[in-house]
Amino acid sequence: MSLYPEQTTMFWVGLAVLAVFGVLCFCLSRQLIGRLRSVTSGIAVEGRCIRRYSSDSSEGNTSWHHVHAFTTLDGQHVEFEEDAVLLEPGDTVTVRYRPNNPARSATIMGRGGTWSPLLGHLFCVLITGIFSLLGALFVFLSFGR
């Protein structure tokens, strides 16, 4: 079966969109699952928001970033960045982490923390998932005639 030129273009565009957004969706989903594992089975300790800074985009929008710090049960000092709404430097937060890699698994999501990082992450997974499905649809429709 041979494809018409417009079908070939639709196939390659769809495949490219599927590849790029599929990989992004997979990576974001994997990261989200790791954070949720920290929330459900991680160790909970007290931490603090130690710094808040802003960055300006080329469009003139300002984004706020939050840096949190905590000490693990074995005495290791860890700092990590995770955005959350309505936190000021010095605010106490509940940090959850997995002991095998505290710096990469730390999150302030969950009971005693906030759910705003989860909502932002879910939004990104949703958008990349939609574009992945759109790419798959293009590939499927290229064989439709």
Side-chain angles (χ1 to χ4, degrees):
M1 169 180 177
S2 75
L3 296 175
Y4 296 106
E6 64 273 2
Q7 289 174 307
T8 304
T9 302
M10 186 186 309
F11 173 78
W12 288 112
V13 168
L15 195 61
V17 169
L18 178 60
V20 170
F21 285 99
V23 168
L24 270 173
C25 187
F26 174 78
C27 292
L28 288 171
S29 298
R30 192 168 168 212
Q31 188 180 48
L32 178 63
I33 289 168
R35 291 170 93 184
L36 290 174
R37 283 180 49 210
S38 294
V39 169
T40 58
S41 63
I43 297 171
V45 295
E46 184 177 291
R48 291 205 178 278
C49 177
I50 59 169
R51 188 169 55 251
R52 182 175 83 169
Y53 65 95
S54 65
S55 63
D56 296 323
S57 69
S58 59
E59 293 86 31
N61 299 326
T62 300
S63 297
W64 288 98
H65 308 275
H66 297 82
V67 179
H68 309 284
F70 68 99
T71 303
T72 63
L73 294 180
D74 61 358
Q76 179 185 1
H77 179 77
V78 178
E79 293 184 10
F80 68 101
E81 186 174 321
E82 185 170 70
D83 293 334
V85 287
L86 306 175
L87 280 179
E88 296 289 330
D91 286 351
T92 303
V93 294
T94 300
V95 177
R96 297 184 187 287
Y97 70 94
R98 291 191 313 272
N100 58 345
N101 194 348
R104 292 201 57 173
S105 65
T107 185
I108 60 170
M109 292 188 325
R111 300 177 307 276
T114 179
W115 288 105
S116 60
L118 174 68
L119 298 178
H121 213 113
L122 280 175
F123 179 74
C124 291
V125 169
L126 177 69
I127 295 301
T128 56
I130 288 171
F131 276 102
S132 297
L133 288 175
L134 185 63
L137 181 65
F138 276 19
V139 170
F140 177 76
L141 290 177
S142 69
F143 291 107
R145 290 189 186 188

